[in-house]
Amino acid sequence: MPFRRLQGIRRFPALFMLCLMCGAAGAQAAASLPSVESFFAYPTLVNAQLSPDGRYVAMLVPAKDGYVRLGVMDVATRVPKVIASFDAADISQFHWVNSDRLVFDAGDRTIGLGEQTQAGGLYAINRDGTDFRQLVLRDLQQQSGSVRSVLPWYTFFYSTIRNSDDIYVGQVDPGGTGKIKPIHLLRLNTRTGRSAIVDRPGLTIRWLMDWQGEPRVATTQDGDMESVFYLDPEQKSWRKLIEFNTFTGHGFVPYFLGPDGSLYVSSRQGTDKTSLYRYDLAKNSVEPQPLVSLQGYDFSGAIVSNDKKFLGVRFETDAEDTKWFDPEMQAMQQAVNDLLPSTVNRISVAGHAQTPYVLVRSYSDIQPVAYFLYDSKEKKLTALGNSMPQINPQQMSGKDMVHYKARDGLEIPAYLTMPNGAGKKNLPMVVLVHGGPYVRDGAWNWNREVQFLASRGYVVLEPEFRGSTGFGWKHFRAGWKQWGLAMQDDVADGARWAIAQGIADPKRICIGGASYGGYATLMGLIRDPDLYRCGFEWVGVTDINLMYNVSWSDISSEYLKYGMPVLVGDQQKDAAQLQATSPLENAARIKQPLLLAYGGADKRVPIIHGSKFRDAVKATNPDVEWIEYPEEGHGWHLQKNNVDFWSRVEKFLGREIGKPSSASGD
């Protein structure tokens, strides 16, 4: 039967148990202003995962003023042990291969994209710290043949295999840019380093593993056509299940293969919203009734299972939730929620549990991620750690989903964050526009950028304008070829809705965003000069034609040929529209104060977007601040640059909209 979420997350004051984890921040007076550094510090607990047998938890924890290390803790003794670390690198990601062995890769969070000379590599180690082995090279120049049984640097972890020392890794051809590249799958033994390539049906861009971890479904792409193939375990041959247009077609996405061999897919099946369905492999068709259907939202989430059965489905509506089909798991979820009533509590189960413990990942709009062990036998929680212990939830600001009508009647969802303790009327507001733009960006969680702005007294509105995904086909389809047009109107209509509600001071509204959000910032200043007092954008697109013409961008040639003409605009057929909706071509119309920031190593929106626009707008606007971070890519990776950028934004907003206007009534 379809499941429909009827009730949102319950909202309570910050839980005292989590506040105890906040360290010195919890002792601060509520009135003190959190520092910009506290929002953009590196996490102190990066990740935690339960071993397949449930007896151990592996965690990434940085040394004090040092690199991130990999540790393992026995859930019974609660004694952690560091099993792997590098002298001059972080451990970035890890995965349990089985209950005795892990794999991990390397990185350096203190080095920007433009300064990186090494890849992540891949390494294996036993949970007691023995039998260490390098599986993949890090050095981009070193040849794999120079190190016996070590794969080249462009190899990456893909998935594990049940009850095996083997894993699957993927390889993507390293040469050049501009083409969609297939993922070559290899089976790799983590003890010997020996590998073997897996047969594939075509230019495979995604793989789906079965219950045992073996590749069973492959998604291929050829031009603008996408196909899904199934590997019959008896026939040992690939057969095509469906073919459809990648950008405009109505196919399905393979999601999960159950223990009985059942295939589950996400699809619209002629409706407006995507739901989760079972695919009948014998009949080669999607079953008519969805397994999970969400009122008002597309299905997006994950299936939760152990080695015995399909336990439940995790999904997102206005906030994350889980529907458990297993009664024991549903009872456990309720017990955990009773102990942590103010947070989303994501339960992770062991594949073949030998202990009563599960891992709980807990968070909310005001609480960064914290990890707990829950003893289902004793019904007790044990705190493992908080990702951002310096953040005091009592100083953070609540976020809620709201809806407003666009001028043509389309309903627009948005997240609204009201600054804590700043009142409810005539406040300065930042309209923060997400990138993509064909994604769902907002979520009911702790967001460092949003919370930083709110901590400085600003209402933050995050519109899910038309073209955003997650809210149905109609909402997505309405955004085609609407850059700078109806998509832009949706953002402006959100600001005007906030004014009409008495929330926003009409004379103190600023627009900001990154990537597409940067484009929308500039177009907002052009189209609605009476609405926005100022704008700040980073790594923003400044001209659609530049997206087509800049050859050193990482946008694929397939997207440029098949996707952009349909979704954004055809360079020839829509030439007049692309010129009319180009911030670069209309730079002289921007008179408001403006802050621009770009990364010198950005391959998604190369810095020429920023430099050409900077030169154009400065010719007629003296109030333009330009920031360049030469080592950064498409967004800020380095803590120092995040702190620098948002400190500049704080000063910029304080100068432009921070002070109450005479008509605001503050």
Side-chain angles (χ1 to χ4, degrees):
M1 293 181 62
F3 174 76
R4 298 184 183 276
R5 188 169 186 267
L6 301 177
Q7 187 173 354
I9 299 294
R10 292 178 295 163
R11 299 296 302 278
F12 295 89
L15 193 66
F16 79 95
M17 183 182 295
L18 293 184
C19 287
L20 290 176
M21 299 168 61
C22 296
Q28 293 176 1
S32 63
L33 197 65
S35 67
V36 60
E37 289 81 5
S38 68
F39 288 93
F40 298 99
Y42 295 127
T44 58
L45 176 57
V46 183
N47 189 11
Q49 294 179 26
L50 202 61
S51 64
D53 62 7
R55 295 177 58 197
Y56 304 93
V57 174
M59 295 174 282
L60 290 180
V61 182
K64 186 176 181 180
D65 300 323
Y67 290 102
V68 176
R69 305 165 298 170
L70 175 61
V72 171
M73 184 185 78
D74 187 310
V75 298
T77 64
R78 311 285 167 80
V79 177
K81 175 185 177 181
V82 173
I83 65 165
S85 62
F86 293 106
D87 291 336
D90 297 307
I91 293 178
S92 298
Q93 300 179 78
F94 71 91
H95 306 271
W96 287 97
V97 176
N98 51 53
S99 295
D100 295 317
R101 196 155 176 80
L102 302 97
V103 290
F104 57 91
D105 60 18
D108 191 334
R109 56 187 183 178
T110 67
I111 295 178
L113 179 65
E115 300 172 327
Q116 292 179 5
T117 59
Q118 291 185 305
L122 191 66
Y123 307 84
I125 197 167
N126 287 344
R127 60 172 166 77
D128 62 1
T130 61
D131 198 11
F132 170 82
R133 186 181 187 91
Q134 183 174 7
L135 303 171
V136 174
L137 293 171
R138 287 197 70 199
D139 195 321
L140 305 184
Q141 305 302 321
Q142 191 174 11
Q143 300 298 314
S144 58
S146 63
V147 182
R148 186 172 177 269
S149 298
V150 179
L151 293 169
W153 63 266
Y154 48 85
T155 308
F156 56 92
F157 172 85
Y158 204 85
S159 65
T160 57
I161 304 168
R162 288 184 188 271
N163 305 314
S164 174
D165 286 331
D166 290 3
I167 60 173
Y168 282 105
V169 294
Q171 288 184 344
V172 176
D173 296 334
T177 59
K179 292 288 290 183
I180 290 179
K181 298 177 181 179
I183 299 173
H184 306 283
L185 201 65
L186 293 85
R187 182 168 181 143
L188 171 65
N189 186 279
T190 63
R191 294 191 185 275
T192 66
R194 296 192 183 95
S195 62
I197 195 163
V198 175
D199 176 56
R200 56 189 174 93
L203 197 158
T204 305
I205 57 173
R206 286 189 300 275
W207 297 83
L208 181 66
M209 309 310 187
D210 67 11
W211 196 256
Q212 296 300 320
E214 298 296 344
R216 194 69 65 211
V217 179
T219 301
T220 67
Q221 187 165 340
D222 183 8
D224 60 344
M225 298 304 294
E226 198 164 307
S227 301
V228 178
F229 290 84
Y230 175 73
L231 180 61
D232 191 300
E234 296 181 0
Q235 300 292 331
K236 306 268 185 206
S237 61
W238 293 99
R239 64 182 169 99
K240 186 184 292 187
L241 303 182
I242 192 173
E243 184 178 42
F244 55 93
N245 188 285
T246 299
F247 304 103
T248 63
H250 310 304
F252 60 72
V253 176
Y255 233 82
F256 181 74
L257 278 157
D260 61 353
S262 295
L263 173 62
Y264 298 90
V265 303
S266 63
S267 178
R268 290 197 303 112
Q269 291 302 103
T271 66
D272 183 60
K273 304 295 189 296
T274 298
S275 298
L276 184 68
Y277 293 85
R278 183 179 180 274
Y279 185 88
D280 191 322
L281 288 163
K283 296 180 180 179
N284 286 335
S285 63
V286 177
E287 293 189 348
Q289 292 300 317
L291 179 69
V292 179
S293 177
L294 307 174
Q295 188 172 10
Y297 301 86
D298 291 318
F299 171 76
S300 177
I303 291 177
V304 187
S305 64
N306 57 21
D307 61 353
K308 296 182 177 66
K309 58 184 176 179
F310 182 166
L311 298 172
V313 179
R314 190 173 293 128
F315 56 89
E316 187 169 15
T317 54
D318 59 329
E320 183 183 304
D321 207 345
T322 305
K323 169 64 177 178
W324 295 106
F325 300 107
D326 181 82
E328 291 184 5
M329 289 302 306
Q330 182 59 44
M332 187 188 302
Q333 183 76 64
Q334 186 59 56
V336 170
N337 289 349
D338 288 343
L339 292 169
L340 300 170
S342 62
T343 51
V344 170
N345 305 303
R346 181 192 296 180
I347 295 176
S348 297
V349 299
H352 47 275
Q354 298 177 16
T355 73
Y357 291 97
V358 296
L359 184 69
V360 180
R361 183 179 186 272
S362 183
Y363 68 90
S364 74
D365 53 346
I366 61 174
Q367 169 65 54
V369 170
Y371 289 95
F372 297 86
L373 276 177
Y374 177 70
D375 185 333
S376 60
K377 183 178 180 180
E378 300 294 331
K379 295 181 170 49
K380 291 182 179 179
L381 275 174
T382 300
L384 294 178
N386 191 326
S387 61
M388 303 287 284
Q390 73 279 11
I391 295 296
N392 181 353
Q394 293 179 331
Q395 293 181 309
M396 299 296 104
S397 302
K399 174 189 288 191
D400 288 291
M401 179 169 276
V402 298
H403 295 82
Y404 60 86
K405 292 285 188 181
R407 63 194 66 181
D408 64 356
L410 186 68
E411 186 175 87
I412 307 298
Y415 281 100
L416 181 71
T417 302
M418 298 293 294
N420 188 17
K424 303 296 181 184
K425 296 292 184 180
N426 293 323
L427 300 176
M429 184 171 77
V430 173
V431 181
L432 199 60
V433 188
H434 71 70
Y438 308 112
V439 297
R440 175 180 174 175
D441 191 67
W444 194 77
N445 58 14
W446 186 83
N447 179 296
R448 62 180 67 213
E449 296 165 355
V450 171
Q451 289 295 334
F452 173 69
L453 291 170
S455 75
R456 271 47 186 171
Y458 302 106
V459 178
V460 182
L461 182 70
E462 301 172 85
E464 296 286 354
F465 45 84
R466 71 189 67 205
S468 301
T469 57
F471 304 95
W473 179 259
K474 178 184 176 183
H475 194 83
F476 168 58
R477 178 67 179 80
W480 291 10
K481 291 192 178 183
Q482 293 301 308
W483 284 46
L485 300 172
M487 291 167 73
Q488 198 67 46
D489 292 341
D490 292 346
V491 176
D493 291 344
R496 293 193 170 96
W497 168 85
I499 293 170
Q501 298 295 309
I503 296 169
D505 181 345
K507 295 185 178 181
R508 292 194 292 162
I509 298 176
C510 194
I511 184 170
S515 196
Y516 170 83
Y519 168 89
T521 295
L522 302 176
M523 285 305 301
L525 298 176
I526 292 165
R527 284 173 60 92
D528 298 287
D530 61 322
L531 184 62
Y532 303 116
R533 175 68 183 83
C534 57
F536 65 97
E537 66 97 341
W538 63 110
V539 300
V541 172
T542 65
D543 183 76
I544 295 170
N545 281 313
L546 276 177
M547 296 174 68
Y548 278 107
N549 298 338
V550 174
S551 60
W552 57 94
S553 166
D554 66 0
I555 299 176
S556 73
S557 57
E558 287 86 351
Y559 182 66
L560 291 174
K561 183 176 180 180
Y562 302 111
M564 275 191 61
V566 173
L567 301 177
V568 182
D570 187 283
Q571 201 170 16
Q572 281 72 46
K573 296 177 183 178
D574 303 311
Q577 177 180 318
L578 299 192
Q579 182 173 12
T581 57
S582 166
L584 182 59
E585 296 291 339
N586 293 275
R589 294 171 58 185
I590 297 180
K591 306 300 183 184
Q592 304 96 313
L594 179 62
L595 186 152
L596 306 167
Y598 285 81
D602 192 347
K603 294 181 180 179
R604 179 58 47 85
V605 179
I607 196 170
I608 191 172
H609 279 264
S611 59
K612 286 177 74 73
F613 182 80
R614 173 202 61 199
D615 295 344
V617 73
K618 277 194 168 186
T620 55
N621 186 342
D623 199 353
V624 176
E625 180 179 355
W626 168 261
I627 311 163
E628 180 181 342
Y629 300 114
E631 72 277 27
E632 293 284 16
H634 197 57
W636 317 142
H637 175 74
L638 301 183
Q639 180 181 352
K640 66 175 184 177
N641 291 338
N642 269 303
V643 170
D644 178 76
F645 175 73
W646 289 100
S647 295
R648 291 171 184 259
V649 169
E650 179 179 12
K651 292 177 183 176
F652 177 78
L653 293 175
R655 183 173 68 246
E656 303 302 334
I657 63 171
K659 297 178 181 179
S661 62
S662 59
S664 69
D666 281 12

